[in-house]
């Protein structure tokens, strides 16, 4: 599992590189994932990116099937968007003010 | 590299759970005290809390007392705990929880405004943003300076007293020497010692953060600090592939552990943390694997709640469910044991501290996963220890002046780092040596692929090979600061491995299945081993020290430093 960065969408703000707990993303004029095999999959970079440029995927070795996941934030609502290989899109909305039920 | 010399009253190494809370405590009680936090990443999302957590696992719920928590942890660890540490921690759990709520953490409440509990000791929360909340609170403090992207590597100690520490920037060519009256070490535990579950592209999809490399342990070991109970490794039972936590399934929707035949096996082996792992190993060995958490038959509302709960702490698992098209209600969740970690917040490995959390080095305090003797800390326990250590450090600096780190020592550490940066033509790279270390530990020191078991001959082989790999690290070279960090991380892990092997060798019994399963001594032996196994590096050799158990009615002090 790891992330990829869409350089078309990246606005070069540097926030993803700043927060990665493993210092894995480096900045040029745009962000660049330098160490894809060292990613822990914490999704910190994804939640930090307001441009939706950082996308998360599961490696094939852990059963991944090629979907890409990013987040959108509006107020207290964090929306997880999953683009599936067949073109379909799934969304899960989470209210940050609501606790987990379990 | 450029050299920067800094001074402060209190230096906090590691701006994770315990480190951030130690800073908050100092600022609240003594706003004029200067504090520096050195964090290898950025305190906003560093360490265990990066992805978020699912529950507060340590809380004294209605009808229970701190002593109940001590009793539970002691029973789970088969007696090898420090009663004094557990009790002083437990007494703080509810107060730090209330503080977290004031900082903005969402905790589930019933209609009467009381917290909703999960099982006997847990609270339900939305823990996705727990680390940004802590970080924001730290940034509001006046005399606390946060230095992000600084990887600390060594202490400066003279006559068993701390002077400060050394480190370097992970991005820019800057080396730091920081003198401090007191130091609080909060670098978390150690992952990446053993070959992990996923060995290929997803090798870092492990449970414990792969970036917590045991730096704090290694710094202490090299400086001659006494360490305890490394042999009580932590092996987590996790969802297969994603290595996501299972507590939400086990406690949230009451999913039982079942084998391939659908039989509930958890009652057969016992319910302590190590017995749950052991049971799963045994079912697999006896041909009844794979093992699962039985989720089939839960409702679709429960499915939806689980998808959300996992997004708040381990998003891979939610993606896995969605991609497979099979929800937990339709398919049981396969489980497996992880590779062993050294983590003093779950088991009891780490610094040997007194009741005030001072290590055997004067002026050096330890809190969180790096501190030993006090298992089952989790988030709130790490905060509690950060608070206790901060209080003790504040007391200490009232009567101790700054001892400046001397130039000769600075230049020794500086040149060592420069040597790696200026090196050329290395035979091996860091990645190869890391793989070699993980393979040795896996095969000879009780990793996943030997069902966590080992004997003395294997441990001797492990020790020899780890020493060989350690010697090879001298020849490594780094092309930039990130690679320099990787070299130091590898060296830290190797230092921890050597102590771990010595501890596994010293406990000649099997008290905890899987966590420390010595095939030469398969039985528990209370007569000789109801005691702590401690260790200390002396003249390059690891000395083992056995110590009597400490109960909760005692205020333990380091009266017989060895
Ligand atoms: C994936 C996961 C899920 C968990 N879920 C829960 C849960 O739901 N409920 C619960 O109660 N507990 C949970 N825990 C346990 C709990 O999060 C930890 O026990 C606790 O956060 C540990 O705090 P700490 O301060 O010791 O370590 P951390 O918070 O990890 O802090 C260590 C810090 O030190 C920094 N550091 C490391 N090395 C260096 C160095 N050389 N120089 C400078 N800085 C350094 C790290 O970057 C990090 O910021 C979970 C743990 C993990 C890993
Ligand atoms: S956070 Fe997003 S926009 Fe900012 S640098 Fe990273 S990828 Fe680019
Ligand atoms: S998912 Fe986490 S570890 Fe991976 S690149 Fe993003 S921030 Fe770093």
């Amino acid at each position: 599992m790891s992330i990829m960065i869409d350089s078309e969408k990246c606005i070069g703000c540097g926030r993803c590189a700043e927060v990665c707990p493993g210092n894995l993303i480096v900045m040029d004029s745009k962000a660049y994932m330098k160490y894809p095999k060292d990613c822990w999959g914490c999704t910190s970079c994804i939640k930090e990116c307001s441009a939706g440029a950082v996308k998360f995927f599961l490696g094939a070795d852990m059963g991944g099937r090629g979907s890409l996941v990013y987040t959108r934030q509006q107020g207290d609502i964090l929306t997880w968007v999953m683009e599936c290989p067949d073109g379909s899109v799934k969304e899960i909305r989470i209210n940050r003010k609501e606790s987990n039920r379990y | 590299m450029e050299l920067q010399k800094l001074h402060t009253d209190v230096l906090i190494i590691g701006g994770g759970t315990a480190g951030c809370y130690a800073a908050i405590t100092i600022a609240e009680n003594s706003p004029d005290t200067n504090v520096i936090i050195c964090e290898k990443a950025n305190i906003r999302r560093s360490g265990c809390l990066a992805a978020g957590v699912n529950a507060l696992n340590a809380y004294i719920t209605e009808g229970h007392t701190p002593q109940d928590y001590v009793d539970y942890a002691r029973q789970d660890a088969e007696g090898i705990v420090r009663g004094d540490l557990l009790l002083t921690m437990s007494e703080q759990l509810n107060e730090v929880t209330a503080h977290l709520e004031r900082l903005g953490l969402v905790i589930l409440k019933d209609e009467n405004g009381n917290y909703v509990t999960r099982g006997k000791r847990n609270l339900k929360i939305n823990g996705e943003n727990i680390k940004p909340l802590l970080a924001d609170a730290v940034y509001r403090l006046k005399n606390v300076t946060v230095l992000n992207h600084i990887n600390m590597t060594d202490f400066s100690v003279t006559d068993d007293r701390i002077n400060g520490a050394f480190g370097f920037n992970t991005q820019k060519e800057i080396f730091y020497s920081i003198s401090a009256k007191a130091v609080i070490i909060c670098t978390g535990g150690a992952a990446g010692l053993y070959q992990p579950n996923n060995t290929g592209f997803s090798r870092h999809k492990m449970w414990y953060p792969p970036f917590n490399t045991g730096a704090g342990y290694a710094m202490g070991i090299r400086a001659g600090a006494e360490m305890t109970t490394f042999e009580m490794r932590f092996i987590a039972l996790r969802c297969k592939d994603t290595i996501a936590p299972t507590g939400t399934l086990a406690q949230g929707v009451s999913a039982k552990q079942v084998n391939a035949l659908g039989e509930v096996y958890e009652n057969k082996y016992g319910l302590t943390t190590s017995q749950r792992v052991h049971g799963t190993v045994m079912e697999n060995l006896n041909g009844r694997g794979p093992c699962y958490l039985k989720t089939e038959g839960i409702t679709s509302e429960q499915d939806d709640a689980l998808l959300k709960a996992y997004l708040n702490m381990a998003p891979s698992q939610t993606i896995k469910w969605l991609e497979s098209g099979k929800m937990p209600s339709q398919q049981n969740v396969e489980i497996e044991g992880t590779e062993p970690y050294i983590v003093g917040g779950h088991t009891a490995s780490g610094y040997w501290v007194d009741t005030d959390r001072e290590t055997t080095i004067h002026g050096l305090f330890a809190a969180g996963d790096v501190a030993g003797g006090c298992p089952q800390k989790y988030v709130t326990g790490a905060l509690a220890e950060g608070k206790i250590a901060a209080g003790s450090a504040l007391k200490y600096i009232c009567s101790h002046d700054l001892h400046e780190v001397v130039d000769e020592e600075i230049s020794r550490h500086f040149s060592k780092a420069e040597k790696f940066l200026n090196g050329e033509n290395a035979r091996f790279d860091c990645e190869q040596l890391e793989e070699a270390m993980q393979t040795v530990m896996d095969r000879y020191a009780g990793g996943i692929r030997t069902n966590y078991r080992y004997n003395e001959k294997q441990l001797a082989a492990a020790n020899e090979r780890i020493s060989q790999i350690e010697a090879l690290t001298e020849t490594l070279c780094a092309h930039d600061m990130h690679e320099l960090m990787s070299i130091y991380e590898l060296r830290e892990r190797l230092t921890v491995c050597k102590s771990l092997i010595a501890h596994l060798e010293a406990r000649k019994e099997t008290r905890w299945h899987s966590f420390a399963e010595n095939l030469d001594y398969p039985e528990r032996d209370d007569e000789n081993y109801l005691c702590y196994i401690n260790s200390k590096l002396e003249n390059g050799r690891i000395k083992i020290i056995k110590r009597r158990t400490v109960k909760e009615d005692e205020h333990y002090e380091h009266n017989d430093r060895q």
Side-chain angles (χ1 to χ4, degrees), chain A residues 3 16 19-22 24-25 33 38-46 56, chain B residues 211:
Chain A
I3 58 139
C16 56
V19 299
C20 172
L24 306 177
I25 302 171
M33 177 55 167
D38 289 343
C39 175
W40 183 32
C42 68
T43 65
S44 299
C45 52
I46 296 166
F56 177 72
Chain B
F211 319 119

Side-chain angles (χ1 to χ4, degrees), chain A residues 1 39-40, chain B residues 191-194 196-198 202-211 241-243 338-339 341 438 493:
Chain A
M1 131 257 60
C39 175
W40 183 32
Chain B
L193 309 174
Y194 285 82
N197 296 83
N198 298 306
S202 301
R203 64 187 182 185
H204 267 184
K205 186 59 257 178
M206 46 182 67
W207 169 70
Y208 204 69
F211 319 119
D241 299 325
T242 60
I243 319 297
T338 63
E339 75 276 18
Y341 307 105
Q438 292 183 345
R493 287 181 165 125

Side-chain angles (χ1 to χ4, degrees), chain B residues 17 44-45 48-56 100 103 105 125-136 312 379-380 383:
Chain B
T17 318
R44 190 169 157 80
R45 284 282 180 184
C48 290
L49 304 184
V53 289
N54 189 240
L56 296 180
L100 271 181
L103 294 179
L105 185 74
I125 60 172
N126 182 335
E128 187 283 315
N129 62 349
I130 185 167
K131 193 69 205 291
L133 289 174
L134 273 174
D136 288 345
N312 284 336
V379 174
T380 39
L383 298 174

Side-chain angles (χ1 to χ4, degrees), chain B residues 16-139:
Chain B
T17 318
C20 285
Y21 208 70
I24 293 170
T25 306
I26 291 174
E28 276 185 355
N29 291 287
S30 173
D32 294 332
T33 297
N34 286 311
V35 177
I36 292 180
I37 300 180
C38 282
E39 163 56 49
K40 80 189 274 188
N42 180 309
I43 65 164
R44 190 169 157 80
R45 284 282 180 184
S46 62
C48 290
L49 304 184
V53 289
N54 189 240
L56 296 180
N57 290 348
Y59 185 78
I60 310 300
T61 55
E62 188 82 22
H64 295 95
T65 62
Q67 183 63 45
D68 293 338
Y69 199 85
V70 178
D71 296 341
Y72 155 71
R74 176 174 286 129
Q75 186 242 339
D76 197 72
E78 315 262 349
I80 308 300
V81 295
R82 284 269 302 274
D84 60 327
L85 300 178
L86 276 169
L87 187 64
T88 47
M89 171 197 82
S90 303
E91 287 168 347
Q92 298 291 334
L93 291 173
N94 292 18
E95 214 169 295
V96 299
T97 302
H99 194 177
L100 271 181
E101 194 178 21
R102 289 198 301 278
L103 294 179
L105 185 74
V106 174
I107 306 181
L108 190 62
K109 288 185 169 159
D110 62 19
E111 57 278 8
N112 302 320
N114 297 321
Y115 293 148
V116 176
T117 57
R118 188 181 88 170
K120 283 190 197 141
R121 293 169 289 272
N122 296 7
L123 294 183
K124 297 182 187 182
I125 60 172
N126 182 335
E128 187 283 315
N129 62 349
I130 185 167
K131 193 69 205 291
L133 289 174
L134 273 174
D136 288 345
V138 169
Y139 283 124

